[in-house]
Amino acid sequence: KYNRLIQASIHIIIWVVLFVMPLMFDHHDRGPNYPWLIVNAWVPLVEYMIVFYANYFSLAQKLLFKRKYLAFALANAAFVLVFLWVNGKCHGALMEMDMKRGTFPHHPKGHHGPPIFTFIFADLISFFIPIAFAVATRSTEHWLKTESEKKEVENKNLQSELLHLRYQLQPHFLFNALNNIYSLVEQSPEKAQEAIHNL
């Protein structure tokens, strides 16, 4: 329970830091640009969080570690496609808002912004990071758990062997004690009685 509490605390601290960081780097005279922060920073972070924990708690354990690679790839592809669609809608809404305010950047004649493929490719790469982190974290925990279970089995086997050796030693001890008492019966019956009592 203590280890789980520490683990949960670490996860919470990391996500809080990730959510606060965009505020620290968004310096404007008029204060933070919240629409831009929501669309370009916080919405992607929520998406990364969903992808990370979906893989961490379910997909890695139930699909990847059971060698269902195609199902694992398709599940993550579904997540990414849905979130790419959400990102497109969010950027479209932000663009409309900027156009209404008159703050949308206009390109010179003949100059166009980077192709839409560039943004899609960047999003795909960015979604790969939380998936990789989730798989790496779950794999490490799985390996540590397996090693711990192996050590526990080894310790149980050692204890079993030690107990077996003790059981083997007991008859020898009893035999030697009885042999000594047998020899004392003729020499000193009183000592023999005392030895039997002690035994």
Side-chain angles (χ1 to χ4, degrees):
K1 286 181 181 178
Y2 181 70
N3 288 339
R4 285 179 183 176
L5 184 64
I6 290 173
Q7 192 177 16
S9 301
I10 290 168
H11 280 250
I12 290 166
I13 289 166
I14 289 169
W15 287 111
V16 166
V17 169
L18 288 173
F19 271 90
V20 170
M21 277 179 68
L23 278 171
M24 295 170 65
F25 292 104
D26 186 43
H27 295 294
H28 293 287
D29 296 333
R30 297 178 181 178
N33 184 356
Y34 286 109
W36 188 92
L37 283 171
I38 290 167
V39 171
N40 293 297
W42 290 335
V43 167
L45 273 174
V46 171
E47 292 170 350
Y48 299 153
M49 190 188 294
I50 292 168
V51 169
F52 177 87
Y53 287 113
N55 281 276
Y56 180 78
F57 285 117
S58 181
L59 299 180
Q61 194 79 18
K62 293 179 180 177
L63 299 178
L64 186 64
F65 296 160
K66 292 181 179 177
R67 298 184 179 182
K68 297 177 181 178
Y69 302 122
L70 181 61
F72 177 77
L74 288 172
N76 277 298
F79 272 116
V80 172
L81 287 172
V82 169
F83 290 142
L84 285 175
W85 179 80
V86 170
N87 289 346
K89 291 290 183 182
C90 289
H91 281 102
L94 183 65
M95 196 182 297
E96 284 182 14
M97 194 183 297
D98 286 341
M99 287 177 74
K100 286 177 182 178
R101 291 179 178 176
T103 57
F104 185 74
H106 296 282
H107 296 290
K109 192 175 180 180
H111 175 77
H112 301 285
I116 192 70
F117 176 76
T118 307
F119 293 106
I120 294 171
F121 182 74
D123 280 344
L124 286 172
I125 295 296
S126 66
F127 277 112
F128 177 76
I129 294 167
I131 293 169
F133 266 103
V135 171
T137 307
R138 182 53 83 183
S139 299
T140 305
E141 288 176 1
H142 183 72
W143 178 77
L144 288 170
K145 187 181 178 183
T146 305
E147 288 297 309
S148 177
E149 286 172 355
K150 281 183 183 177
K151 286 181 181 178
E152 193 175 342
V153 169
E154 286 174 6
N155 285 334
K156 283 182 179 178
N157 288 338
L158 286 171
Q159 287 174 7
S160 172
E161 287 176 16
L162 184 60
L163 192 62
H164 183 64
L165 287 170
R166 283 177 181 168
Y167 286 144
Q168 283 183 323
L169 285 169
Q170 283 176 2
H172 292 294
F173 169 76
L174 185 62
F175 176 79
N176 290 332
L178 288 171
N179 202 27
N180 289 332
I181 292 166
Y182 179 78
S183 63
L184 283 171
V185 169
E186 289 182 357
Q187 297 173 7
S188 175
E190 289 179 2
K191 285 184 178 179
Q193 283 181 346
E194 189 182 344
I196 290 168
H197 179 74
N198 289 335
L199 179 63

